[in-house]
Amino acid sequence: MENKISELIEKLEKQHSLTLEEYEYLIDNRTEEAAELLAEKARIVREKIYGKAVYIRGLIEVSNICKNDCLYCGIRRSNKSCDRYRLTEEEILECADEGYSLGFRTFVMQGGEDGSFSDDFVCGVIRKLKEKYPDCAVTLSLGERSRESYQKLFEAGADRYLLRHETADKAHYEKLHPKELSFENRMECLKNLKEIGFQTGCGFMIGSPFQTTHNLALDLKFVEEFHPQMCGIGPFIPHEATPFKDYKAGTAELTCYLLSMIRLIHPEILLPSTTALGTILEGGREKGILAGANVVMPNLSPISVRKKYMLYNNKICTGDEAAEAVKNLAERMKAIGYEIVTDRGDVKTN
Ligand code: SAH
């Protein structure tokens, strides 16, 4: 391996930071050998903090109704072929009941920006979840809301909030989103979430249309400086009913490489091996864990709505019962030497 590559990997491991140029160099000069070295270092760092434990999060896709029109997303409002649904409070609580009995101690409510998810409604669901399952964490992923709204959700008991920044480059952000959505507001939301006290997750897609190496370096720098507790990354996968239907998907290899880099930037970060990674490559989620990820997010949504929450083509696990999926995942993790645990899985602070 080229000396400069191994030096940069070592620098990242020791200093948890590189310059933009150095991040770019590592990304542009990726080889299998470099990827394996990075993954090895990432696994060591991860195992020091989290051992072989893989945290599971029960993903409840609460609504596919969305007022936004993100160009990459299958549930964008302009997609007339999307069959819309919204879960009731009762249905959400039923998903959690099933999840609890399967060993989940974190529930993630994710959805489009559905106007019906008022503060009162969401706070009500959070309170009920917390009342019934005080030993569980509640994570929200409901998009951009006002600071006041985030504050209310936090006070109702929500622990974590996932809001991917999507790209840390304003010009790139504007190529992925319609005019009404602004990079500044996305960043403002993230700042507010963290200040309020949520364990906050940002994240980005790998291989999204128009993405350059420089964009990815900016993403890594943003992750480094923002210091989120969680970071969700996965390959972009085209959806047939979006303007990006003819663009190429991102790769599992680059995704895993970046997972390893993020693990070295923030050793304690909660890093999911995403469904998109498992979709783009058979065994992708295992590869993600082996690259330094420590979280997986199996689907707890009712089977009847699974196919309707189609963010991208060919999403996996749209037909499996949650119980089957967890069993399958547990076996997959065991086969690579890792173990799914029943735990809230909070971020560990060193
Ligand atoms: N409305 C919420 C949840 C969005 S869905 C929010 O705004 O945060 C969760 C994530 O799926 C998005 O943040 C995006 O990064 C990812 N996603 C959407 N479309 C995708 C696609 N075509 N390929 C890969 N990931 C996609």
Side-chain angles (χ1 to χ4, degrees), residues 100-121:
Y100 193 88
S101 66
L102 293 172
F104 288 92
R105 295 295 178 269
T106 290
F107 302 116
V108 183
M109 285 198 258
Q110 186 181 81
E113 290 191 23
D114 180 341
S116 291
F117 281 83
S118 63
D119 294 342
D120 283 349
F121 175 80

Side-chain angles (χ1 to χ4, degrees), residues 66 68 72-74 110-113 141-144 162-164 166 186 204-205 234-239 276 309 311-312:
C66 192
N68 291 333
Y72 46 84
C73 185
Q110 186 181 81
E113 290 191 23
S141 178
L142 299 171
E144 298 179 13
L162 304 172
L163 185 75
R164 289 188 177 180
E166 311 297 359
R186 196 79 177 174
F204 52 101
M205 289 178 285
F236 158 75
I237 304 174
H239 183 289
Y309 197 82
L311 304 177
Y312 44 79

Side-chain angles (χ1 to χ4, degrees), residues 129-146:
L129 278 171
K130 283 287 186 173
E131 206 173 290
K132 196 155 185 203
Y133 300 117
D135 54 337
C136 289
V138 171
T139 304
L140 303 174
S141 178
L142 299 171
E144 298 179 13
R145 303 173 77 96
S146 67

Side-chain angles (χ1 to χ4, degrees), residues 69-243:
D69 219 15
C70 306
L71 278 77
Y72 46 84
C73 185
I75 64 169
R76 66 201 299 267
R77 71 158 188 266
S78 297
N79 180 5
K80 298 289 181 287
S81 60
C82 176
D83 187 2
R84 307 285 169 172
Y85 74 91
R86 171 187 301 133
L87 299 185
T88 62
E89 176 178 279
E90 207 183 357
E91 288 170 317
I92 297 171
L93 294 168
E94 276 169 21
C95 295
D97 291 341
E98 185 183 13
Y100 193 88
S101 66
L102 293 172
F104 288 92
R105 295 295 178 269
T106 290
F107 302 116
V108 183
M109 285 198 258
Q110 186 181 81
E113 290 191 23
D114 180 341
S116 291
F117 281 83
S118 63
D119 294 342
D120 283 349
F121 175 80
V122 183
C123 287
V125 181
I126 297 167
R127 286 200 190 91
K128 291 218 168 79
L129 278 171
K130 283 287 186 173
E131 206 173 290
K132 196 155 185 203
Y133 300 117
D135 54 337
C136 289
V138 171
T139 304
L140 303 174
S141 178
L142 299 171
E144 298 179 13
R145 303 173 77 96
S146 67
R147 185 176 177 119
E148 295 67 43
S149 168
Y150 287 149
Q151 185 70 48
K152 284 186 193 158
L153 303 175
F154 185 71
E155 281 163 16
D159 303 273
R160 311 188 186 123
Y161 204 106
L162 304 172
L163 185 75
R164 289 188 177 180
H165 61 284
E166 311 297 359
T167 169
D169 184 302
K170 178 174 154 68
H172 185 218
Y173 192 92
E174 288 168 359
K175 292 183 185 160
L176 303 180
H177 298 95
K179 284 194 297 299
E180 319 85 81
L181 289 172
S182 85
F183 176 69
E184 287 77 12
N185 194 53
R186 196 79 177 174
M187 289 297 173
E188 181 69 21
C189 286
L190 278 165
K191 191 174 127 258
N192 286 338
L193 288 164
K194 201 150 180 263
E195 279 174 11
I196 288 168
F198 283 102
Q199 290 182 35
T200 303
C202 64
F204 52 101
M205 289 178 285
I206 315 302
S208 58
F210 319 111
Q211 185 177 65
T212 61
T213 303
H214 181 65
N215 295 152
L216 286 172
L218 287 172
D219 285 321
L220 292 173
K221 193 45 95 180
F222 174 68
V223 170
E224 182 191 314
E225 290 173 348
F226 181 62
H227 206 148
Q229 284 82 15
M230 309 172 281
C231 182
I233 70 167
F236 158 75
I237 304 174
H239 183 289
E240 67 204 359
T242 64

